[in-house]
Amino acid sequence: MSAYRDKDPRIHGIQSKIRVVPNFPKPGIMFQDITTLLLDPKAFKDTVDLFVERYKGKNISVVAGIEARGFIFGTPIALEIGAKFVPLRKPNKLPGKVISEEYELEYGRDCLEMHLGAVEPGERALVVDDLIATGGTLCAAMKLLERAGAEVVECACVIELPDLKGRERLNGKPLYVLLESH
């Protein structure tokens, strides 16, 4: 499911504010830079509003944002839908006891961590990030939440890189994106 397929008029404004940076962070990667989107308050608000409109009233109690850009979008979504925000962080960034999940990126390996006790069994969770490429990060996030007993309702990203087929790795879990980049 996607807002661009629904032809929401706000999508063009959002898409026009995302800068593509070639060969970053390494050769061959076309980096989708959302920092330029954040410089435009209307486009940033439209981005958050599209997600809030989708998730308000869906009984989501947890919005889990993936470090770091998932924090930018996940926090205002959580506030607006009345859910708690749970940061999913890189290793050694959270104090206290954590659970972790390793995963593969389109350009290497990484790991996500979450505080033990941040999520209660039976809670309904939304996973938020800026982009889905190969799907490895979203899969790791879902595994962390499910290990804690949460039900992952959906994953939400601003951008999808469909050529990398990340959606296929989500094992049928719904994915909602605002736009695609090829």
Side-chain angles (χ1 to χ4, degrees):
M1 301 196 124
S2 347
Y4 66 90
R5 289 201 176 118
D6 297 339
K7 299 187 182 352
D8 189 290
R10 296 170 284 188
I11 293 300
H12 177 73
I14 293 166
Q15 191 161 24
S16 71
K17 298 299 177 183
I18 296 171
R19 174 175 56 177
V20 178
V21 181
N23 301 312
F24 184 83
K26 66 183 233 178
I29 303 292
M30 298 296 286
F31 187 79
Q32 304 292 312
D33 181 13
I34 56 92
T35 62
T36 48
L37 169 69
L38 303 176
L39 297 174
D40 184 308
K42 180 181 180 340
F44 184 27
K45 182 177 184 334
D46 285 347
T47 302
V48 172
D49 287 351
L50 282 164
F51 289 121
V52 169
E53 289 163 17
R54 179 167 180 83
Y55 298 113
K56 199 156 192 113
K58 301 275 193 210
N59 298 317
I60 292 169
S61 55
V62 174
V63 174
I66 297 172
E67 185 168 332
R69 293 174 300 274
F71 296 179
I72 295 167
F73 299 104
T75 304
I77 294 167
L79 288 171
E80 287 295 317
I81 68 172
K84 65 183 170 182
F85 179 78
V86 174
L88 304 180
R89 304 232 34 205
K90 305 288 182 176
N92 305 310
K93 300 284 186 181
L94 293 170
K97 294 185 191 243
V98 298
I99 57 175
S100 60
E101 188 72 36
E102 285 195 14
Y103 62 98
E104 288 190 31
L105 295 161
E106 62 276 19
Y107 50 85
R109 291 190 61 75
D110 215 336
C111 180
L112 284 179
E113 293 184 340
M114 176 179 74
H115 271 129
L116 281 175
V119 175
E120 301 295 324
E123 286 193 292
R124 291 171 48 85
L126 171 68
V127 178
V128 176
D129 205 358
D130 67 324
L131 178 139
I132 177 170
T134 64
T137 310
L138 288 177
C139 286
M142 288 190 301
K143 286 178 186 174
L144 277 177
L145 291 161
E146 289 168 350
R147 283 170 48 201
E151 172 197 352
V152 177
V153 175
E154 193 163 85
C155 296
C157 296
V158 178
I159 305 162
E160 178 179 12
L161 304 179
D163 296 344
L164 296 179
K165 303 186 185 318
R167 185 182 291 264
E168 295 173 13
R169 290 190 59 197
L170 301 181
N171 299 320
K173 189 62 68 184
L175 170 67
Y176 183 73
V177 297
L178 300 187
L179 53 100
E180 287 184 351
S181 182
H182 295 273

